[in-house]
Amino acid sequence: MEQVVDTALGVIADEGYEALTMRRLAGALDTGPASLYAHVVNKADLDELLIGRLCAALVLPEPDPAAWREQIRGVCVQIRDQYLRYPGISRAALAMAPTDLETMRVSEGMLAVLLAGGVAPQAAAWAIDALLLYVAGYCLELSVLKQRKVDDETEWVVDTAELRRRLTALPAETFPHTIRHASELTAGEGHDRFDFTLNLMIDGLAHR
């Protein structure tokens, strides 16, 4: 099973998550699909194993009521960095009903941190879902943008100056606010937007 997961992650690292099919994985393992199905039931089963492997690498903090915001933020950043190592893999985490013990370990750890910070149980439960969904969506968008740049040569999508030029060239009578605030709409480098949204969500929990 370890070899199956290792090989699947290798395919994703080299070719992206979209390239990973059961047939492609069987080929990479130099075996037939029938042999592969003896280890993995289907693609959904494989997805859970992949996310479980990434979760196993996460370091969960000992809950500290005085530092819960920094702790939950740190876990989300770790998840983000794991997802970004394997382009598109965060898609595998979407709409998943996790049963893998490593995946559940992360949810348990996040819940412990939020509860220690005084967040009500229901709010904490939904917040974990929202945070994980945001991290997965953010990473998936980055992988899509990167792939479009390669496949379609749409470099302007990730070129701030060009995007700002296109916004300011819009009809002024229809888009006055967009034109006036084109700099703000296109601002941010690296993970600035990720940090902003994550802080917004966590600070919102703190003020409930």
Side-chain angles (χ1 to χ4, degrees):
M1 187 61 71
E2 291 295 311
Q3 184 183 5
V4 170
V5 175
D6 289 341
T7 303
L9 289 175
V11 171
I12 296 171
D14 293 338
E15 305 172 34
Y17 176 75
E18 293 301 317
L20 182 67
T21 63
M22 298 296 280
R23 182 177 296 277
R24 174 70 181 85
L25 179 57
L29 287 165
D30 196 24
T31 186
S35 298
L36 178 59
Y37 284 117
H39 300 281
V40 182
V41 177
N42 51 34
K43 184 70 185 314
D45 187 30
L46 177 61
D47 284 346
E48 188 165 1
L49 290 171
L50 294 173
I51 298 302
R53 169 66 71 80
L54 300 190
C55 285
L58 303 182
V59 178
L60 301 176
E62 185 65 31
D64 180 354
W68 71 271
R69 280 185 276 191
E70 291 75 17
Q71 289 184 327
I72 203 70
R73 185 181 300 112
V75 174
C76 290
V77 168
Q78 287 187 72
I79 297 171
R80 178 201 71 193
D81 291 345
Q82 283 290 88
Y83 285 164
L84 291 180
R85 291 177 60 196
Y86 304 98
I89 199 171
S90 62
R91 184 188 297 273
L94 298 174
M96 175 185 290
T99 57
D100 183 272
L101 291 182
E102 288 296 343
T103 305
M104 295 302 298
R105 180 184 71 91
V106 173
S107 296
E108 171 72 14
M110 294 177 73
L111 183 59
V113 168
L114 293 181
L115 293 176
V119 180
Q122 185 63 79
W126 285 350
I128 292 169
D129 182 60
L131 288 167
L132 293 177
L133 183 61
Y134 174 68
V135 175
Y138 173 84
C139 294
L140 183 58
E141 182 180 50
L142 286 184
S143 71
V144 170
L145 285 173
K146 183 178 180 180
Q147 195 59 47
R148 282 181 180 173
K149 184 178 178 181
V150 173
D151 294 343
D152 305 329
E153 299 182 351
T154 51
E155 294 193 21
W156 71 268
V157 175
V158 290
D159 186 309
T160 301
E162 175 61 17
L163 182 56
R164 187 179 299 130
R165 186 192 70 76
R166 294 189 180 210
L167 292 180
T168 55
L170 291 167
E173 65 277 7
T174 308
F175 302 98
H177 300 298
T178 298
I179 294 171
R180 184 176 303 115
H181 299 291
S183 294
E184 289 84 353
L185 290 169
T186 57
E189 298 180 356
H191 296 303
D192 286 348
R193 290 174 181 247
F194 177 88
D195 294 337
F196 171 81
T197 305
L198 205 61
N199 289 335
L200 196 67
M201 297 172 75
I202 295 170
D203 289 345
L205 277 175
H207 290 109
R208 283 183 63 88

